Amino acid sequence: MNGEDAPELKRAAVAAAPSSPIPNHRLGMMIFLVAEAMLFTGLLGAALVLGAGAPMWPPPGQPVLPIWAGAVNLLLLSGGSFGMIRAMRGVRLASHRRLVSGIGLTLACGAGFLVVMGVEWARMIREGLRTTTTGSYGPLFYTLTGCHALHVLAVMIWVGVLLALALQDRFSPAHHEPVEMAGMFWHFVAVAWVFLFVVLYLI
């Protein structure tokens, strides 16, 4: 074997090497989301334990959370997931219009979620739900919904950066990893709200 054959053999070895079953960016995002799931599992577990141990939940004299508000927020987060799915399909098909419109829909739904949550917090505060004078019910509500709202805000900032990059035509079918990762994060946030909705509003 002479020296001229070495580059061809090296390229052949690289081509024959098995590819990773899960892309690195997707695997990293999955590990991050597992850690986030553990956080929400702990918070939801605490809420379930405290609620099961109380004679009445919510405690007497405390405002009852409006189911309509939780349901509206569930619809908004679902709409944001639809937007991210549309954006992902758009970038894979090299459709700039689908990409931008999908990201825009997700941002609008996220903003709507935060507005509804802000209105709900203001109403609960007016009705006397506090973090220091209402036992564990008030702190649990504000901790769970506040933690989730911070996640929504974080993914909205991420998606907002994606929108700025998309308007500069920075994504393509060969380069769409940031869009996919943001979509995974948004879907996680939407699924997390399903569990919060059941525990806080329905049980």
Side-chain angles (χ1 to χ4, degrees):
M1 181 180 65
N2 55 43
E4 295 179 354
D5 295 331
E8 286 75 9
L9 291 175
K10 185 178 294 186
R11 285 194 291 268
V14 171
S19 60
S20 175
I22 302 177
N24 290 337
H25 71 277
R26 194 177 301 167
L27 179 61
M29 196 65 196
M30 290 171 62
I31 294 173
F32 170 73
L33 294 180
V34 167
E36 291 294 295
M38 293 174 64
L39 169 64
F40 280 102
T41 299
L43 292 174
L44 289 170
L48 289 172
V49 169
L50 291 172
M56 183 179 296
W57 194 262
Q62 298 305 316
V64 178
L65 303 181
I67 294 179
W68 69 266
V72 168
N73 276 337
L74 182 59
L75 291 175
L76 288 169
L77 291 174
S78 300
S81 286
F82 174 78
M84 289 309 300
I85 292 172
R86 178 177 175 82
M88 195 63 210
R89 287 178 178 172
V91 74
R92 285 174 174 167
L93 296 173
S95 173
H96 186 264
R97 180 179 60 83
R98 285 189 181 184
L99 172 62
V100 172
S101 63
I103 293 176
L105 175 60
T106 299
L107 285 174
C109 289
F113 175 91
L114 294 178
V115 168
V116 173
M117 185 57 64
V119 171
E120 187 176 359
W121 272 39
R123 187 184 71 84
M124 299 303 281
I125 292 173
R126 287 197 306 270
E127 293 187 6
L129 188 63
R130 300 286 189 271
T131 60
T132 57
T133 59
T134 55
S136 59
Y137 181 62
L140 272 176
F141 168 75
Y142 291 119
T143 299
L144 283 168
T145 57
C147 181
H148 189 272
L150 285 176
H151 281 73
V152 173
L153 180 60
V155 72
M156 280 186 64
I157 294 172
W158 188 349
V159 174
V161 173
L162 292 181
L163 178 60
L165 295 175
L167 292 174
Q168 299 174 21
D169 203 18
R170 299 282 293 274
F171 300 114
S172 67
H175 175 60
H176 60 263
E177 292 83 0
V179 181
E180 181 181 358
M181 294 169 68
M184 293 173 65
F185 195 6
W186 185 277
H187 299 325
F188 169 81
V189 169
V191 172
W193 183 254
V194 174
F195 290 96
L196 265 70
F197 177 61
V198 172
V199 172
L200 290 176
Y201 294 83
L202 300 182
I203 296 180

